[in-house]
Amino acid sequence: IQAAYRGHCVRKNLKTQRNAVLVISRAFLAWKRRKEAAGFRRRRRATVILQRRSRATTAGRKERAQFVRSRRAAVTIQAAYRGHCVRKNLKTQRNAVLVISRAFLAWKRRKEAAGFRRRRRATVILQRRSRATTAGRKERAQF
């Protein structure tokens, strides 16, 4: 009977120890899982932060490249417009020079023509006087 009782106590003690080992093992594994989960969450948070930063950097580079392209396009358009304005101004100035030079040449021609007409009249008058004088001499010579 004692042996059966001792066996029963030993089995009961082993069962209690086994249950205690299971409780401790479960608690340890749960702690280990929580610790691993916390580490995983920390790593995941760090990964998310790194991804956000990487994406923000990439987006910033794209935005900067777009800005540079836009600015370059604006500068090109401004240069083309300024060139257009300069060419238009030069054309206006050239037309003004042409108008002035034409007016000057027309005035000069009118002045020269007036001088020519004056000289021609004077020549005609001199020729008339000369012919009249010659005719008068002939007339007197025949008289």
Side-chain angles (χ1 to χ4, degrees), residues 44-64:
R44 186 170 183 198
R45 249 184 267 127
T47 303
V48 168
I49 289 170
L50 288 174
Q51 286 175 344
R52 282 182 190 158
R53 193 170 203 168
S54 173
R55 289 177 183 145
T57 302
T58 304
R61 285 184 186 145
K62 286 180 182 178
E63 189 71 26
R64 173 72 180 159

Side-chain angles (χ1 to χ4, degrees), residues 14-70:
L14 281 176
K15 189 175 181 184
T16 305
Q17 286 179 356
R18 194 162 131 224
N19 286 340
V21 166
L22 287 176
V23 168
I24 292 171
S25 176
R26 283 185 195 137
F28 177 75
L29 289 176
W31 172 81
K32 190 175 176 183
R33 282 188 200 119
R34 281 193 306 271
K35 187 176 176 183
E36 287 174 356
F40 173 75
R41 282 192 297 271
R42 261 188 271 121
R43 283 191 303 274
R44 186 170 183 198
R45 249 184 267 127
T47 303
V48 168
I49 289 170
L50 288 174
Q51 286 175 344
R52 282 182 190 158
R53 193 170 203 168
S54 173
R55 289 177 183 145
T57 302
T58 304
R61 285 184 186 145
K62 286 180 182 178
E63 189 71 26
R64 173 72 180 159
Q66 177 62 32
F67 170 74
V68 168
R69 280 194 302 272
S70 297

Side-chain angles (χ1 to χ4, degrees), residues 109-126:
R109 285 186 194 125
R110 281 193 307 273
K111 187 177 176 186
E112 288 173 357
F116 175 74
R117 283 192 298 270
R118 220 178 15 255
R119 285 190 300 275
R120 187 175 176 195
R121 254 186 258 125
T123 304
V124 167
I125 290 171
L126 286 174

Side-chain angles (χ1 to χ4, degrees), residues 87-103:
R87 287 188 298 277
K88 186 176 176 183
N89 190 19
L90 285 175
K91 186 177 181 182
T92 304
Q93 288 177 357
R94 189 179 72 212
N95 288 339
V97 166
L98 290 175
V99 166
I100 291 170
S101 66
R102 284 179 192 146

